[in-house]
Amino acid sequence: MSLRDLQEDARARARNPVPGAASFAKFMNVLQVIADSPGTLDMAQITRRTRFPRGTVYRLVAALVAEGLVSQSGENGTFRLGPRLLQLAAKTWEDSDLRTIARDFLASLRDATDEAVHLAVPSNNRMVYIDKLVGSSTVQMKTSIGGQVEFHSTSVGKAWLSGLTDDRLEEIIKGLELTRHTANTLTSPEALREELKRIREQGFAFDDEENEPDIRCLGSPIFNRQREPVGAISVSMPVYRHDARRHELRARLVRETAIRITAELSRIP
């Protein structure tokens, strides 16, 4: 189908709405609100953010919970994405060219550092882990495939941001809530911009206990053949397993690994 055909089809659909499309849009709106703030919003807060009538929100959320697309915490009544949605997403990640290409390189990086390594991609102003390999130590990060982290407080997030054009970067920064997670978290746009300048110069990002205490991470961006950042990789370790010598070595390894993944990914038409 040509571009003109697609445009004509879109105009036709706009003139003749698909039955149920409005209801589907409401479901997606609620789902997006929950995805953007996982584990932090209760029913009243979701209602305020969607601006739908309370009865409508209750009905939509109940249906999402029944289908396993959303789950509710028994402790504080907040909501997050459910297991069924994560399972569906995982099927997409398993078929991802990026995940497939990166796996052997991630394994080599894990073997060289004996630390946890992650592959993450951007999604709705967050980074989502789509792969993780761990080292031999019993002390590891409590991260999982499908887990979401913020741009400004993580090495994968800052690495991905550093690869954006200036215009696109400003668009993203304007929409971020620079939440403080630790005493080291960057919480001002100015501080974040300065940090991203350093990352661009050195080729890697450093999370110095900015997302969670006692954890440090080094990350680098991955680009497609159009030189657009499509993801990032990281090496993560407890503070006690990080020093100046290891920092230099792991920074070089994560940067070189990202470059190799980028080179392989660039071969895909």
Side-chain angles (χ1 to χ4, degrees):
M1 183 178 287
S2 68
L3 176 60
R4 179 173 296 179
D5 291 335
L6 289 172
Q7 291 171 336
E8 286 297 328
D9 183 64
R11 284 192 286 268
R13 290 176 182 274
R15 291 192 297 269
N16 302 289
V18 177
S23 296
F24 180 75
K26 290 179 180 178
F27 274 108
M28 291 304 298
N29 192 313
V30 171
L31 198 60
Q32 188 66 65
V33 165
I34 294 172
D36 287 344
S37 302
T40 64
L41 303 179
D42 58 20
M43 194 72 77
Q45 292 167 316
I46 295 172
T47 300
R48 284 196 292 272
R49 294 204 180 188
T50 60
R51 299 182 180 180
F52 296 149
R54 185 175 64 174
T56 299
V57 174
Y58 272 71
R59 188 166 59 252
L60 294 171
V61 171
L64 290 169
V65 170
E67 292 295 332
L69 300 176
V70 166
S71 61
Q72 184 177 24
S73 169
E75 297 181 0
N76 54 19
T78 60
F79 295 87
R80 63 176 61 249
L81 298 182
R84 185 179 177 192
L85 189 62
L86 297 178
Q87 289 166 4
L88 292 172
K91 291 184 180 297
T92 299
W93 299 330
E94 288 171 1
D95 294 333
S96 164
D97 288 332
L98 176 56
R99 188 175 187 270
T100 300
I101 288 171
R103 173 49 80 98
D104 288 345
F105 294 102
L106 290 179
S108 296
L109 182 60
R110 184 270 316 274
D111 294 345
T113 60
D114 199 27
E115 298 289 358
V117 298
H118 297 87
L119 172 65
V121 295
S123 177
N124 301 316
N125 275 1
R126 288 175 177 266
M127 297 295 286
V128 178
Y129 292 126
I130 65 172
D131 208 354
K132 175 184 179 180
L133 299 176
V134 299
S136 62
S137 174
T138 57
V139 179
Q140 298 288 347
M141 286 184 66
K142 295 180 180 179
T143 53
S144 60
I145 296 176
Q148 300 180 54
V149 292
E150 293 177 277
F151 289 144
H152 71 288
S153 59
T154 61
S155 66
V156 288
K158 291 189 294 183
W160 181 79
L161 287 176
S162 73
L164 297 172
T165 63
D166 290 340
D167 289 344
R168 180 60 178 144
L169 177 60
E170 285 306 309
E171 289 180 13
I172 295 290
I173 289 179
K174 288 177 182 178
L176 294 182
E177 294 183 13
L178 303 180
T179 304
R180 181 178 295 281
H181 300 290
T182 73
N184 293 349
T185 306
L186 302 176
T187 56
S188 74
E190 294 76 17
L192 181 58
R193 291 188 188 98
E194 286 300 313
E195 176 77 353
L196 295 176
K197 288 180 182 178
R198 285 191 291 272
I199 295 170
R200 286 174 172 174
E201 292 172 357
Q202 63 194 16
F204 67 89
F206 182 39
D207 164 9
D208 185 12
E209 299 182 78
E210 295 165 43
N211 197 58
E212 55 181 302
D214 302 321
I215 295 293
R216 289 174 174 161
C217 306
L218 294 156
S220 282
I222 299 169
F223 298 88
N224 60 19
R225 66 186 305 170
Q226 288 78 38
R227 294 302 298 172
E228 300 165 332
V230 294
I233 59 171
S234 68
V235 176
S236 305
M237 73 291 295
V239 169
Y240 77 87
R241 292 206 298 265
H242 179 265
D243 53 33
R245 182 185 63 82
R246 290 189 178 107
H247 181 91
E248 183 178 353
L249 172 62
R250 291 167 179 173
R252 177 175 60 80
L253 288 172
V254 76
R255 185 174 61 243
E256 291 175 352
T257 301
I259 290 172
R260 293 190 181 107
I261 295 172
T262 293
E264 287 296 315
L265 194 63
S266 297
R267 296 180 183 179
I268 298 177

